[in-house]
């Protein structure tokens, strides 16, 4: 799918209105998810923060309300590491329809040992991918009730150099934290593309849209106390890195555009304009290894088995 020059050009500081819409942001209480929620709140939409920590969600909502007059923001308790709770979490939204969900929440571990969820899944794969996979199943009726809903998945630049081991999705044989994290994000990206293919084939009004934030550092992120506090020392120390990467406020731009832009690209993704690492969002073809539909199909089938999701229940 080719894109004509933008008319008018996309302006990250002047987003289109979305009054009457409802958006869910998983992990909306911190990091990139917080800034996605803050920016979407400025469009007039109702924004729901999915968070496993009520206190952090309260802090995030207070911060958004302080910066966005009249913000319609609320929170629901949501723990993606506990698959048994996700149906209840979806029901607790208490809405008739959902116009978009941003699959953002996740965990990243820096050091061994390998950890598991209560259901026995490797923690990062189980939370970042399987949790969102199962959550999407329970949200599908609400998404299908909207005129043109979107499932926006936030991938990671770290996944660009990784490949999935379909025989060891849970990293049981050779666990390396950074690789396991990158592969969990890669699995999310395959899921987004396979979901969109299946939705289109089913004639659904729901679309799967992929985005990634590029390089987003805390040290380049503006303060949002108590959600995030950047010291003067951190700001100065990170100044050279700003030539290549950006803060998490800018890292949110591709996901926000994926929610709001009228264009719904097939086989493409929203990413930062400069080398995929920084700058305003643009639409680019997905990385070559993400075009392997056999891998995507096998991952989908494995994800259904691991979560207990009916294979035909997500496209609806």
């Amino acid at each position: 799918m080719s894109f004509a020059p933008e008319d008018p050009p996309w302006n990250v500081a002047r987003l289109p209105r979305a009054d009457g819409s409802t958006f869910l942001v998983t992990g909306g209480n911190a990091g990139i998810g917080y800034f996605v929620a803050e920016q979407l709140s400025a469009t007039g939409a109702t924004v729901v923060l999915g968070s496993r920590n009520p206190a952090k969600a309260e802090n995030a909502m207070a911060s958004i309300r302080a910066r966005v007059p009249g913000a319609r923001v609320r929170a629901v308790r949501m723990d993606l590491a506990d698959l048994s709770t996700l149906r209840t979490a979806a029901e607790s939204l208490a809405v008739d329809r959902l116009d978009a969900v941003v699959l953002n929440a996740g965990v990243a571990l820096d050091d061994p040992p390998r950890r598991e969820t209560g259901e026995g899944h490797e923690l990062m794969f189980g939370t970042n991918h399987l949790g969102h996979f199962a959550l999407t199943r329970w949200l599908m009726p609400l998404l299908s009730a909207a005129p043109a809903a979107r499932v926006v998945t936030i991938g990671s630049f770290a996944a660009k150099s990784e490949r999935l081991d379909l025989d060891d999705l849970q990293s049981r044989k050779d666990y390396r934290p950074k690789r396991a994290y990158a592969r969990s994000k890669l699995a999310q990206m395959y899921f987004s593309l396979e979901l969109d293919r299946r939705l289109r084939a089913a004639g659904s009004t729901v679309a799967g849209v992929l985005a990634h934030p590029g390089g987003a550092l805390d040290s380049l992120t503006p303060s949002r106390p108590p959600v995030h506090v950047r010291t003067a020392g951190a700001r100065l120390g990170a100044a050279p890195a700003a030539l290549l990467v950006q803060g998490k406020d800018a890292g949110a731009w591709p996901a926000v555009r994926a929610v709001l832009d009228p264009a719904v690209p097939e086989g493409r993704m929203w990413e930062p304009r400069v080398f995929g690492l920084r700058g305003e969002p643009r639409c680019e073809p997905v990385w070559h290894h993400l075009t392997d539909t056999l891998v995507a199909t096998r991952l989908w089938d494995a994800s259904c088995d691991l979560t207990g999701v009916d294979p035909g229940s997500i496209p609806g």
Side-chain angles (χ1 to χ4, degrees), residues 241-257:
L243 296 172
L244 293 175
V245 293
Q246 57 195 356
K248 293 187 176 180
D249 55 327
W253 292 343
V256 170
R257 185 162 187 178

Side-chain angles (χ1 to χ4, degrees), residues 22-25 28-29 37 41 45-51 57-58 60-62 64-65 71-77 89-98 142:
T22 300
F23 305 137
L24 168 64
V25 182
N29 60 276
S41 292
T46 296
V47 179
V48 184
L49 313 183
S51 173
E58 287 292 336
M61 289 189 291
I64 290 171
R65 289 173 182 141
R72 299 178 177 89
V73 60
R74 59 188 180 88
V76 297
R77 188 176 180 87
E91 291 171 347
S92 71
L93 290 171
V95 295
D96 295 327
R97 78 179 205 200
L98 187 62
L142 296 176

Side-chain angles (χ1 to χ4, degrees), residues 78-290:
M78 184 174 292
D79 184 357
L80 291 162
D82 187 350
L83 301 181
S84 67
T85 66
L86 296 180
R87 180 176 185 174
T88 300
E91 291 171 347
S92 71
L93 290 171
V95 295
D96 295 327
R97 78 179 205 200
L98 187 62
D99 295 277
V101 55
V102 180
L103 305 181
N104 159 81
V107 293
L109 303 180
D110 292 327
D111 300 304
R114 180 179 175 278
R115 293 170 57 189
E116 292 186 348
T117 68
E119 287 139 322
H121 303 303
E122 189 278 314
L123 184 62
M124 290 182 282
F125 180 75
T127 303
N128 303 354
H129 171 60
L130 295 180
H132 282 128
F133 186 90
L135 177 66
T136 301
R137 180 266 177 269
W138 297 117
L139 293 177
M140 193 53 62
L142 296 176
L143 293 161
S144 298
R150 299 181 184 183
V151 179
V152 175
T153 300
I154 299 185
S156 172
F157 196 79
K160 189 172 186 178
S161 60
E162 274 300 337
R163 300 297 183 271
L164 289 182
D165 183 348
L166 291 166
D167 296 319
D168 189 26
L169 290 170
Q170 305 271 18
S171 301
R172 298 183 191 280
K173 299 175 184 175
D174 182 15
Y175 175 72
R176 304 177 199 176
K178 285 184 170 51
R179 186 179 69 180
Y181 170 76
R183 287 181 174 179
S184 75
K185 299 302 289 184
L186 180 58
Q188 281 189 271
M189 297 174 85
Y190 273 115
F191 164 64
S192 178
L193 296 166
E194 181 65 14
L195 174 66
D196 190 55
R197 281 190 288 269
R198 289 172 181 250
L199 290 168
R200 290 175 189 269
S204 176
T205 58
V206 185
V209 189
L210 180 58
H212 80 80
L217 302 182
D218 281 331
S219 54
L220 293 173
T221 302
S223 288
R224 294 291 191 271
V227 176
H228 168 69
V229 177
R230 179 177 63 165
T231 65
R235 183 172 64 251
L236 291 173
L243 296 172
L244 293 175
V245 293
Q246 57 195 356
K248 293 187 176 180
D249 55 327
W253 292 343
V256 170
R257 185 162 187 178
V259 170
L260 298 173
D261 195 296
V264 183
E266 182 176 4
R268 298 168 73 98
M269 63 183 170
W270 295 107
E271 68 174 16
R273 189 174 300 275
V274 182
F275 304 119
L277 288 171
R278 66 182 300 273
E280 296 199 2
R282 67 177 178 184
C283 198
E284 287 292 308
V286 299
W287 305 322
H288 179 70
H289 57 297
L290 286 171

